[in-house]
Amino acid sequence: MNYNIALLRGDGIGPEIVDSAVRVLEEVGKKYGHEFVFTPYLIGGAALDACGIPLPEETVRGCLASDSVLLGAVGGPKWDTLPGNIRPEKALLGIRAAMELFTNLRPAKLYGALKGDCPLRSDIVENGFDIMIVRELTGGIYFGERGMREGKYGEEAYDTECYSRMEIERIAKVAFETARKRNKKLTSIDKANVLESSRLWRKVVHEMAEQYPDVECVDMLVDNAAMQLVRNPAQFDVIVTSNMFGDILSDEASQITGSIGMLPSASLGNTKRGLYEPIHGSAPDIAGQGKANPIATILSAAMMLLYSFDLAEESECIVNAVDKVLNAGFRTADIAHGGDSLSTTEITDKIIENL
Ligand code: NAD
């Protein structure tokens, strides 16, 4: 099979980590008989420097014409003083909107070899954890009606949380399908004891659950979920939640894995085409030094194979290779704690050797 992948290398360490993922994909292609065709497009600061805007029309067109998109990261001190509407980061919202991506998948997995990096007590994470957070990305309070007004006590501000049945159904569908591909347990997180929008959320999720009898579906209030994530993270398989709750809980979950350079993400819409990117930024402090950890981007590419191309075996092959490399003790500087470390290229070579 042929797959067209739009590459948005971006800024800082973006080009280095994307090129590592490309090398891994090319090897996977050779091993399994697929051809991945990569077309680079400008985004972020690189696009600003070349054409004065962070998200050129050609980039949007290229992404929409591709089978999927792999992004590095954008931003850096060079562009920090620009006005908000032309900052590199603006391009991220622009490309997500243009691709109509309403789902954000953020896995938080504690690798056996990296247990020492987890800030939780060792007995809590003895058996590791592997959580997939499915966050609604284009609705809720971040997009609801907002404003300033004169109230009883003078100046006041308000934001509105609003979810339609359609928005809940489509994110719940992604979550149930995701749980089906994993350990078949879905935790739906809301605040149904207080919020009307959460009560609709819960009702719709329960209705959808009837179509997925093979998936165990439980509700959890968001305050309890924040607690349970640090008390017993291994109880979770797939989590589905609203935009704001997902924003907060996915950061909490990523922190308990202990390593920002390891965590991938996927943003998906109604088509198979997704946007895959590491959760970290452009790390300008280490850009161009060969020190960046490419694993989050390589694992983002593995998510692309699974979610956009239905290549489960090929995806698993990448994940296993990363596991083997970590188990063998190879580390980049960010996870080496002052011990021996490999460069971006060297750890990529090790992963390729283990495919
Ligand atoms: P950052 O994630 O870039 O870096 C935070 C720290 O983690 C730095 O010390 C960095 O060296 C380290 N780090 C991050 N990724 C790493 C990797 N793969 N390997 C090794 N070390 C890594 O966050 P920041 O410093 O707050 O932001 C830097 C720039 O990135 C800013 O311009 C910010 O706006 C932008 N940013 C972009 C995205 C994105 O493109 N999705 C996300 C967050 C931040």
Side-chain angles (χ1 to χ4, degrees):
M1 284 286 286
N2 273 15
Y3 300 95
N4 291 310
I5 301 175
L7 288 185
L8 308 181
R9 290 190 173 90
D11 310 314
I13 60 171
E16 304 163 54
I17 54 181
V18 167
D19 288 349
S20 286
V22 165
R23 286 182 55 212
V24 170
L25 283 172
E26 278 171 342
E27 282 303 313
V28 169
K30 274 187 217 155
K31 190 172 148 88
Y32 289 92
H34 306 298
E35 197 187 343
F36 299 111
V37 180
F38 301 100
T39 313
Y41 295 96
L42 292 170
I43 193 165
L48 271 163
D49 286 353
C51 38
I53 47 169
L55 183 62
E57 194 47 44
E58 193 196 342
T59 299
V60 175
R61 268 201 306 272
C63 291
L64 291 176
S66 72
D67 296 316
S68 217
V69 181
L70 184 64
L71 169 73
V74 298
K78 182 174 175 193
W79 307 282
D80 273 352
T81 50
L82 291 173
N85 62 334
I86 54 159
R87 286 275 299 262
E89 293 81 356
K90 187 82 182 158
L92 295 175
L93 298 181
I95 193 66
R96 286 172 191 153
M99 292 174 68
E100 297 178 12
L101 305 170
F102 59 84
T103 302
N104 187 222
L105 294 183
R106 270 183 52 172
K109 173 173 167 179
L110 182 63
Y111 285 83
L114 299 181
K115 273 187 197 155
D117 291 279
C118 175
L120 299 181
R121 247 183 15 235
S122 58
D123 59 305
I124 296 177
V125 291
E126 210 171 353
N127 300 316
F129 57 83
D130 183 355
I131 307 169
M132 177 65 81
I133 298 189
V134 180
R135 168 190 170 196
E136 201 289 324
L137 203 56
T138 53
I141 198 163
Y142 293 174
F143 291 86
E145 193 190 324
R146 73 194 55 189
M148 303 284 295
R149 63 188 170 202
E150 267 316 293
K152 193 172 164 196
Y153 304 105
E155 188 183 33
E156 63 181 30
Y158 63 95
D159 301 274
T160 324
E161 171 91 348
C162 176
Y163 268 111
S164 66
R165 168 174 285 274
M166 181 280 288
E167 287 171 306
I168 304 168
E169 275 174 0
R170 68 181 183 182
I171 192 75
K173 182 168 188 285
V174 175
F176 279 108
E177 305 276 345
T178 306
R180 222 172 221 179
K181 290 184 187 157
R182 293 172 41 108
N183 292 327
K184 301 185 172 54
K185 182 177 175 195
L186 177 63
T187 308
S188 172
I189 294 175
D190 60 39
K191 188 71 182 167
N193 55 342
V194 179
L195 301 177
E196 201 58 43
S197 53
S198 280
R199 284 192 274 274
L200 180 65
W201 180 281
R202 195 175 276 210
K203 183 172 150 209
V204 173
V205 169
H206 285 191
E207 285 170 16
M208 301 271 305
E210 287 172 19
Q211 297 167 36
Y212 298 88
D214 51 324
V215 176
E216 181 198 352
C217 178
V218 294
D219 304 305
M220 191 177 279
L221 294 173
V222 64
D223 38 352
N224 185 26
M227 216 161 60
Q228 295 298 330
L229 268 174
V230 290
R231 203 185 69 84
N232 177 17
Q235 71 185 282
F236 296 106
D237 175 24
V238 177
I239 285 174
V240 63
T241 192
S242 63
N243 201 343
M244 183 165 68
F245 295 161
D247 189 8
I248 298 165
L249 292 176
S250 63
D251 265 22
E252 184 187 358
S254 68
Q255 276 313 298
I256 57 174
T257 70
S259 46
I260 197 170
M262 300 283 303
L263 298 176
S265 79
S267 298
L268 306 170
N270 270 328
T271 67
K272 280 278 180 191
R273 187 190 312 109
L275 175 73
Y276 298 84
E277 56 179 317
I279 71 157
H280 58 73
S282 60
D285 52 334
I286 56 165
Q289 299 173 31
K291 287 186 189 165
N293 184 348
I295 292 179
T297 316
I298 290 170
L299 292 174
S300 300
M303 289 185 83
M304 176 189 288
L305 297 186
L306 181 63
Y307 292 102
S308 282
F309 305 154
D310 289 323
L311 298 176
E313 195 183 330
E314 290 82 341
S315 174
E316 195 61 27
C317 168
I318 297 180
V319 174
N320 287 341
V322 168
D323 257 335
K324 282 187 218 158
V325 166
L326 293 173
N327 288 334
F330 297 112
R331 303 279 186 272
T332 40
D334 56 314
I335 47 173
H337 304 295
D340 288 345
S341 63
L342 298 183
S343 69
T344 311
T345 312
E346 287 166 340
I347 199 140
T348 307
D349 292 342
K350 292 285 174 206
I351 292 168
I352 288 171
E353 278 166 29
N354 281 279
L355 284 170

PDB file of all heavy atoms in Angstrom, residues 268-301:
ATOM      1  N   LEU A 268      -7.868  13.463  15.957  1.00  0.00           N
ATOM      2  CA  LEU A 268      -8.637  12.801  14.900  1.00  0.00           C
ATOM      3  C   LEU A 268      -9.971  13.498  14.665  1.00  0.00           C
ATOM      4  O   LEU A 268     -10.505  14.138  15.575  1.00  0.00           O
ATOM      5  CB  LEU A 268      -8.913  11.340  15.290  1.00  0.00           C
ATOM      6  CG  LEU A 268      -7.698  10.486  15.659  1.00  0.00           C
ATOM      7  CD1 LEU A 268      -8.120   9.159  16.246  1.00  0.00           C
ATOM      8  CD2 LEU A 268      -6.835  10.263  14.427  1.00  0.00           C
ATOM      9  N   GLY A 269     -10.502  13.321  13.463  1.00  0.00           N
ATOM     10  CA  GLY A 269     -11.822  13.864  13.136  1.00  0.00           C
ATOM     11  C   GLY A 269     -12.709  12.769  12.595  1.00  0.00           C
ATOM     12  O   GLY A 269     -12.606  11.617  13.041  1.00  0.00           O
ATOM     13  N   ASN A 270     -13.544  13.100  11.636  1.00  0.00           N
ATOM     14  CA  ASN A 270     -14.480  12.119  11.092  1.00  0.00           C
ATOM     15  C   ASN A 270     -13.871  11.219  10.030  1.00  0.00           C
ATOM     16  O   ASN A 270     -14.459  10.223   9.650  1.00  0.00           O
ATOM     17  CB  ASN A 270     -15.681  12.842  10.463  1.00  0.00           C
ATOM     18  CG  ASN A 270     -16.766  13.041  11.507  1.00  0.00           C
ATOM     19  OD1 ASN A 270     -16.919  12.224  12.412  1.00  0.00           O
ATOM     20  ND2 ASN A 270     -17.497  14.131  11.393  1.00  0.00           N
ATOM     21  N   THR A 271     -12.704  11.620   9.511  1.00  0.00           N
ATOM     22  CA  THR A 271     -12.076  10.790   8.481  1.00  0.00           C
ATOM     23  C   THR A 271     -10.916  10.046   9.125  1.00  0.00           C
ATOM     24  O   THR A 271     -10.592  10.260  10.282  1.00  0.00           O
ATOM     25  CB  THR A 271     -11.521  11.662   7.336  1.00  0.00           C
ATOM     26  OG1 THR A 271     -10.440  12.432   7.865  1.00  0.00           O
ATOM     27  CG2 THR A 271     -12.580  12.580   6.773  1.00  0.00           C
ATOM     28  N   LYS A 272     -10.274   9.204   8.365  1.00  0.00           N
ATOM     29  CA  LYS A 272      -9.116   8.452   8.881  1.00  0.00           C
ATOM     30  C   LYS A 272      -7.894   9.357   9.034  1.00  0.00           C
ATOM     31  O   LYS A 272      -6.929   9.009   9.709  1.00  0.00           O
ATOM     32  CB  LYS A 272      -8.781   7.312   7.907  1.00  0.00           C
ATOM     33  CG  LYS A 272      -9.685   6.115   8.074  1.00  0.00           C
ATOM     34  CD  LYS A 272      -9.155   5.275   9.231  1.00  0.00           C
ATOM     35  CE  LYS A 272      -9.972   4.041   9.488  1.00  0.00           C
ATOM     36  NZ  LYS A 272      -9.576   3.408  10.752  1.00  0.00           N
ATOM     37  N   ARG A 273      -7.928  10.516   8.352  1.00  0.00           N
ATOM     38  CA  ARG A 273      -6.764  11.409   8.383  1.00  0.00           C
ATOM     39  C   ARG A 273      -6.620  12.049   9.764  1.00  0.00           C
ATOM     40  O   ARG A 273      -7.562  12.628  10.297  1.00  0.00           O
ATOM     41  CB  ARG A 273      -6.929  12.506   7.327  1.00  0.00           C
ATOM     42  CG  ARG A 273      -5.709  13.360   7.168  1.00  0.00           C
ATOM     43  CD  ARG A 273      -5.960  14.579   6.296  1.00  0.00           C
ATOM     44  NE  ARG A 273      -6.640  14.282   5.065  1.00  0.00           N
ATOM     45  CZ  ARG A 273      -7.908  14.636   4.806  1.00  0.00           C
ATOM     46  NH1 ARG A 273      -8.616  15.305   5.675  1.00  0.00           N
ATOM     47  NH2 ARG A 273      -8.452  14.322   3.662  1.00  0.00           N
ATOM     48  N   GLY A 274      -5.452  11.910  10.354  1.00  0.00           N
ATOM     49  CA  GLY A 274      -5.244  12.500  11.680  1.00  0.00           C
ATOM     50  C   GLY A 274      -4.012  13.370  11.703  1.00  0.00           C
ATOM     51  O   GLY A 274      -3.249  13.446  10.725  1.00  0.00           O
ATOM     52  N   LEU A 275      -3.819  14.030  12.832  1.00  0.00           N
ATOM     53  CA  LEU A 275      -2.622  14.849  13.045  1.00  0.00           C
ATOM     54  C   LEU A 275      -1.904  14.245  14.246  1.00  0.00           C
ATOM     55  O   LEU A 275      -2.479  14.160  15.333  1.00  0.00           O
ATOM     56  CB  LEU A 275      -3.035  16.292  13.333  1.00  0.00           C
ATOM     57  CG  LEU A 275      -1.924  17.259  13.700  1.00  0.00           C
ATOM     58  CD1 LEU A 275      -1.082  17.596  12.474  1.00  0.00           C
ATOM     59  CD2 LEU A 275      -2.495  18.554  14.267  1.00  0.00           C
ATOM     60  N   TYR A 276      -0.674  13.810  14.022  1.00  0.00           N
ATOM     61  CA  TYR A 276       0.068  13.078  15.055  1.00  0.00           C
ATOM     62  C   TYR A 276       1.268  13.916  15.478  1.00  0.00           C
ATOM     63  O   TYR A 276       2.017  14.394  14.634  1.00  0.00           O
ATOM     64  CB  TYR A 276       0.505  11.716  14.505  1.00  0.00           C
ATOM     65  CG  TYR A 276      -0.710  10.878  14.143  1.00  0.00           C
ATOM     66  CD1 TYR A 276      -1.344  11.033  12.910  1.00  0.00           C
ATOM     67  CD2 TYR A 276      -1.256   9.985  15.045  1.00  0.00           C
ATOM     68  CE1 TYR A 276      -2.482  10.299  12.584  1.00  0.00           C
ATOM     69  CE2 TYR A 276      -2.398   9.245  14.732  1.00  0.00           C
ATOM     70  CZ  TYR A 276      -3.000   9.412  13.504  1.00  0.00           C
ATOM     71  OH  TYR A 276      -4.138   8.698  13.199  1.00  0.00           O
ATOM     72  N   GLU A 277       1.439  14.071  16.784  1.00  0.00           N
ATOM     73  CA  GLU A 277       2.523  14.926  17.265  1.00  0.00           C
ATOM     74  C   GLU A 277       2.917  14.558  18.687  1.00  0.00           C
ATOM     75  O   GLU A 277       2.097  14.048  19.457  1.00  0.00           O
ATOM     76  CB  GLU A 277       2.087  16.406  17.234  1.00  0.00           C
ATOM     77  CG  GLU A 277       0.822  16.660  18.034  1.00  0.00           C
ATOM     78  CD  GLU A 277       0.375  18.120  18.034  1.00  0.00           C
ATOM     79  OE1 GLU A 277       1.221  19.002  18.187  1.00  0.00           O
ATOM     80  OE2 GLU A 277      -0.841  18.351  17.899  1.00  0.00           O
ATOM     81  N   PRO A 278       4.187  14.821  19.053  1.00  0.00           N
ATOM     82  CA  PRO A 278       4.580  14.617  20.450  1.00  0.00           C
ATOM     83  C   PRO A 278       3.872  15.640  21.324  1.00  0.00           C
ATOM     84  O   PRO A 278       3.469  16.692  20.820  1.00  0.00           O
ATOM     85  CB  PRO A 278       6.089  14.869  20.426  1.00  0.00           C
ATOM     86  CG  PRO A 278       6.311  15.780  19.252  1.00  0.00           C
ATOM     87  CD  PRO A 278       5.271  15.386  18.234  1.00  0.00           C
ATOM     88  N   ILE A 279       3.745  15.358  22.628  1.00  0.00           N
ATOM     89  CA  ILE A 279       3.049  16.341  23.475  1.00  0.00           C
ATOM     90  C   ILE A 279       3.957  17.502  23.882  1.00  0.00           C
ATOM     91  O   ILE A 279       3.484  18.518  24.348  1.00  0.00           O
ATOM     92  CB  ILE A 279       2.417  15.706  24.740  1.00  0.00           C
ATOM     93  CG1 ILE A 279       3.484  15.270  25.742  1.00  0.00           C
ATOM     94  CG2 ILE A 279       1.490  14.568  24.400  1.00  0.00           C
ATOM     95  CD1 ILE A 279       2.925  15.184  27.160  1.00  0.00           C
ATOM     96  N   HIS A 280       5.273  17.330  23.692  1.00  0.00           N
ATOM     97  CA  HIS A 280       6.184  18.390  24.136  1.00  0.00           C
ATOM     98  C   HIS A 280       6.287  19.495  23.084  1.00  0.00           C
ATOM     99  O   HIS A 280       5.767  19.371  21.975  1.00  0.00           O
ATOM    100  CB  HIS A 280       7.563  17.813  24.456  1.00  0.00           C
ATOM    101  CG  HIS A 280       8.204  17.109  23.299  1.00  0.00           C
ATOM    102  ND1 HIS A 280       8.718  17.772  22.213  1.00  0.00           N
ATOM    103  CD2 HIS A 280       8.398  15.784  23.046  1.00  0.00           C
ATOM    104  CE1 HIS A 280       9.218  16.897  21.354  1.00  0.00           C
ATOM    105  NE2 HIS A 280       9.022  15.677  21.828  1.00  0.00           N
ATOM    106  N   GLY A 281       6.985  20.570  23.452  1.00  0.00           N
ATOM    107  CA  GLY A 281       7.164  21.696  22.544  1.00  0.00           C
ATOM    108  C   GLY A 281       8.452  21.581  21.742  1.00  0.00           C
ATOM    109  O   GLY A 281       9.016  20.476  21.604  1.00  0.00           O
ATOM    110  N   SER A 282       8.942  22.723  21.250  1.00  0.00           N
ATOM    111  CA  SER A 282      10.057  22.725  20.310  1.00  0.00           C
ATOM    112  C   SER A 282      11.424  22.743  20.995  1.00  0.00           C
ATOM    113  O   SER A 282      12.447  22.783  20.318  1.00  0.00           O
ATOM    114  CB  SER A 282       9.926  23.935  19.388  1.00  0.00           C
ATOM    115  OG  SER A 282       9.950  25.117  20.182  1.00  0.00           O
ATOM    116  N   ALA A 283      11.418  22.727  22.340  1.00  0.00           N
ATOM    117  CA  ALA A 283      12.657  22.638  23.133  1.00  0.00           C
ATOM    118  C   ALA A 283      13.801  23.464  22.556  1.00  0.00           C
ATOM    119  O   ALA A 283      14.872  22.909  22.244  1.00  0.00           O
ATOM    120  CB  ALA A 283      13.066  21.173  23.292  1.00  0.00           C
ATOM    121  N   PRO A 284      13.639  24.784  22.416  1.00  0.00           N
ATOM    122  CA  PRO A 284      14.700  25.580  21.787  1.00  0.00           C
ATOM    123  C   PRO A 284      16.027  25.503  22.537  1.00  0.00           C
ATOM    124  O   PRO A 284      17.095  25.685  21.931  1.00  0.00           O
ATOM    125  CB  PRO A 284      14.151  27.016  21.824  1.00  0.00           C
ATOM    126  CG  PRO A 284      12.869  26.985  22.579  1.00  0.00           C
ATOM    127  CD  PRO A 284      12.459  25.575  22.779  1.00  0.00           C
ATOM    128  N   ASP A 285      15.973  25.169  23.839  1.00  0.00           N
ATOM    129  CA  ASP A 285      17.215  25.104  24.628  1.00  0.00           C
ATOM    130  C   ASP A 285      18.155  23.990  24.165  1.00  0.00           C
ATOM    131  O   ASP A 285      19.358  24.058  24.420  1.00  0.00           O
ATOM    132  CB  ASP A 285      16.902  24.940  26.139  1.00  0.00           C
ATOM    133  CG  ASP A 285      15.947  23.787  26.446  1.00  0.00           C
ATOM    134  OD1 ASP A 285      15.138  23.417  25.568  1.00  0.00           O
ATOM    135  OD2 ASP A 285      16.004  23.257  27.572  1.00  0.00           O
ATOM    136  N   ILE A 286      17.630  22.969  23.484  1.00  0.00           N
ATOM    137  CA  ILE A 286      18.517  21.885  23.030  1.00  0.00           C
ATOM    138  C   ILE A 286      18.478  21.702  21.500  1.00  0.00           C
ATOM    139  O   ILE A 286      19.043  20.743  20.986  1.00  0.00           O
ATOM    140  CB  ILE A 286      18.173  20.546  23.728  1.00  0.00           C
ATOM    141  CG1 ILE A 286      16.690  20.175  23.505  1.00  0.00           C
ATOM    142  CG2 ILE A 286      18.507  20.586  25.204  1.00  0.00           C
ATOM    143  CD1 ILE A 286      16.392  18.717  23.839  1.00  0.00           C
ATOM    144  N   ALA A 287      17.803  22.621  20.813  1.00  0.00           N
ATOM    145  CA  ALA A 287      17.650  22.469  19.352  1.00  0.00           C
ATOM    146  C   ALA A 287      19.009  22.467  18.656  1.00  0.00           C
ATOM    147  O   ALA A 287      19.913  23.218  19.035  1.00  0.00           O
ATOM    148  CB  ALA A 287      16.787  23.600  18.802  1.00  0.00           C
ATOM    149  N   GLY A 288      19.153  21.599  17.673  1.00  0.00           N
ATOM    150  CA  GLY A 288      20.362  21.557  16.851  1.00  0.00           C
ATOM    151  C   GLY A 288      21.553  20.918  17.533  1.00  0.00           C
ATOM    152  O   GLY A 288      22.655  20.889  16.986  1.00  0.00           O
ATOM    153  N   GLN A 289      21.364  20.370  18.728  1.00  0.00           N
ATOM    154  CA  GLN A 289      22.499  19.783  19.459  1.00  0.00           C
ATOM    155  C   GLN A 289      22.497  18.253  19.411  1.00  0.00           C
ATOM    156  O   GLN A 289      23.331  17.609  20.046  1.00  0.00           O
ATOM    157  CB  GLN A 289      22.463  20.237  20.925  1.00  0.00           C
ATOM    158  CG  GLN A 289      22.586  21.740  21.096  1.00  0.00           C
ATOM    159  CD  GLN A 289      22.365  22.167  22.544  1.00  0.00           C
ATOM    160  OE1 GLN A 289      22.669  21.435  23.478  1.00  0.00           O
ATOM    161  NE2 GLN A 289      21.817  23.351  22.736  1.00  0.00           N
ATOM    162  N   GLY A 290      21.508  17.679  18.759  1.00  0.00           N
ATOM    163  CA  GLY A 290      21.449  16.206  18.685  1.00  0.00           C
ATOM    164  C   GLY A 290      21.070  15.568  20.004  1.00  0.00           C
ATOM    165  O   GLY A 290      21.316  14.384  20.224  1.00  0.00           O
ATOM    166  N   LYS A 291      20.473  16.352  20.922  1.00  0.00           N
ATOM    167  CA  LYS A 291      20.155  15.804  22.245  1.00  0.00           C
ATOM    168  C   LYS A 291      18.689  15.419  22.389  1.00  0.00           C
ATOM    169  O   LYS A 291      18.296  14.847  23.391  1.00  0.00           O
ATOM    170  CB  LYS A 291      20.429  16.878  23.315  1.00  0.00           C
ATOM    171  CG  LYS A 291      21.875  17.148  23.599  1.00  0.00           C
ATOM    172  CD  LYS A 291      21.922  18.115  24.783  1.00  0.00           C
ATOM    173  CE  LYS A 291      23.317  18.640  25.031  1.00  0.00           C
ATOM    174  NZ  LYS A 291      23.292  19.819  25.911  1.00  0.00           N
ATOM    175  N   ALA A 292      17.861  15.806  21.417  1.00  0.00           N
ATOM    176  CA  ALA A 292      16.407  15.614  21.592  1.00  0.00           C
ATOM    177  C   ALA A 292      16.044  14.135  21.634  1.00  0.00           C
ATOM    178  O   ALA A 292      16.615  13.322  20.905  1.00  0.00           O
ATOM    179  CB  ALA A 292      15.671  16.290  20.438  1.00  0.00           C
ATOM    180  N   ASN A 293      15.090  13.813  22.474  1.00  0.00           N
ATOM    181  CA  ASN A 293      14.551  12.458  22.533  1.00  0.00           C
ATOM    182  C   ASN A 293      13.489  12.335  21.430  1.00  0.00           C
ATOM    183  O   ASN A 293      12.471  13.018  21.479  1.00  0.00           O
ATOM    184  CB  ASN A 293      13.912  12.235  23.909  1.00  0.00           C
ATOM    185  CG  ASN A 293      13.420  10.820  24.095  1.00  0.00           C
ATOM    186  OD1 ASN A 293      13.342  10.061  23.136  1.00  0.00           O
ATOM    187  ND2 ASN A 293      13.082  10.479  25.324  1.00  0.00           N
ATOM    188  N   PRO A 294      13.723  11.468  20.446  1.00  0.00           N
ATOM    189  CA  PRO A 294      12.760  11.373  19.333  1.00  0.00           C
ATOM    190  C   PRO A 294      11.620  10.398  19.617  1.00  0.00           C
ATOM    191  O   PRO A 294      10.754  10.185  18.763  1.00  0.00           O
ATOM    192  CB  PRO A 294      13.632  10.841  18.195  1.00  0.00           C
ATOM    193  CG  PRO A 294      14.643   9.964  18.891  1.00  0.00           C
ATOM    194  CD  PRO A 294      14.881  10.567  20.267  1.00  0.00           C
ATOM    195  N   ILE A 295      11.604   9.763  20.813  1.00  0.00           N
ATOM    196  CA  ILE A 295      10.672   8.638  21.040  1.00  0.00           C
ATOM    197  C   ILE A 295       9.206   9.081  20.973  1.00  0.00           C
ATOM    198  O   ILE A 295       8.368   8.386  20.398  1.00  0.00           O
ATOM    199  CB  ILE A 295      11.009   7.906  22.360  1.00  0.00           C
ATOM    200  CG1 ILE A 295      12.369   7.199  22.208  1.00  0.00           C
ATOM    201  CG2 ILE A 295       9.922   6.889  22.706  1.00  0.00           C
ATOM    202  CD1 ILE A 295      12.844   6.447  23.433  1.00  0.00           C
ATOM    203  N   ALA A 296       8.878  10.263  21.526  1.00  0.00           N
ATOM    204  CA  ALA A 296       7.472  10.712  21.481  1.00  0.00           C
ATOM    205  C   ALA A 296       6.999  10.833  20.026  1.00  0.00           C
ATOM    206  O   ALA A 296       5.854  10.504  19.713  1.00  0.00           O
ATOM    207  CB  ALA A 296       7.324  12.053  22.192  1.00  0.00           C
ATOM    208  N   THR A 297       7.880  11.309  19.154  1.00  0.00           N
ATOM    209  CA  THR A 297       7.499  11.482  17.751  1.00  0.00           C
ATOM    210  C   THR A 297       7.443  10.132  17.037  1.00  0.00           C
ATOM    211  O   THR A 297       6.552   9.884  16.223  1.00  0.00           O
ATOM    212  CB  THR A 297       8.493  12.431  17.042  1.00  0.00           C
ATOM    213  OG1 THR A 297       8.742  13.529  17.914  1.00  0.00           O
ATOM    214  CG2 THR A 297       7.946  12.952  15.738  1.00  0.00           C
ATOM    215  N   ILE A 298       8.371   9.255  17.371  1.00  0.00           N
ATOM    216  CA  ILE A 298       8.366   7.912  16.776  1.00  0.00           C
ATOM    217  C   ILE A 298       7.090   7.167  17.208  1.00  0.00           C
ATOM    218  O   ILE A 298       6.437   6.499  16.409  1.00  0.00           O
ATOM    219  CB  ILE A 298       9.656   7.153  17.182  1.00  0.00           C
ATOM    220  CG1 ILE A 298      10.860   7.789  16.478  1.00  0.00           C
ATOM    221  CG2 ILE A 298       9.554   5.662  16.885  1.00  0.00           C
ATOM    222  CD1 ILE A 298      12.220   7.318  16.951  1.00  0.00           C
ATOM    223  N   LEU A 299       6.700   7.336  18.488  1.00  0.00           N
ATOM    224  CA  LEU A 299       5.466   6.691  18.955  1.00  0.00           C
ATOM    225  C   LEU A 299       4.228   7.368  18.356  1.00  0.00           C
ATOM    226  O   LEU A 299       3.186   6.725  18.179  1.00  0.00           O
ATOM    227  CB  LEU A 299       5.397   6.708  20.491  1.00  0.00           C
ATOM    228  CG  LEU A 299       6.446   5.817  21.192  1.00  0.00           C
ATOM    229  CD1 LEU A 299       6.385   6.018  22.697  1.00  0.00           C
ATOM    230  CD2 LEU A 299       6.243   4.337  20.848  1.00  0.00           C
ATOM    231  N   SER A 300       4.338   8.653  18.025  1.00  0.00           N
ATOM    232  CA  SER A 300       3.231   9.329  17.323  1.00  0.00           C
ATOM    233  C   SER A 300       3.056   8.700  15.938  1.00  0.00           C
ATOM    234  O   SER A 300       1.930   8.493  15.469  1.00  0.00           O
ATOM    235  CB  SER A 300       3.497  10.830  17.175  1.00  0.00           C
ATOM    236  OG  SER A 300       3.639  11.440  18.448  1.00  0.00           O
ATOM    237  N   ALA A 301       4.185   8.392  15.303  1.00  0.00           N
ATOM    238  CA  ALA A 301       4.120   7.721  13.994  1.00  0.00           C
ATOM    239  C   ALA A 301       3.479   6.338  14.146  1.00  0.00           C
ATOM    240  O   ALA A 301       2.701   5.904  13.285  1.00  0.00           O
ATOM    241  CB  ALA A 301       5.525   7.613  13.396  1.00  0.00           C
TER     242      ALA A 301
END
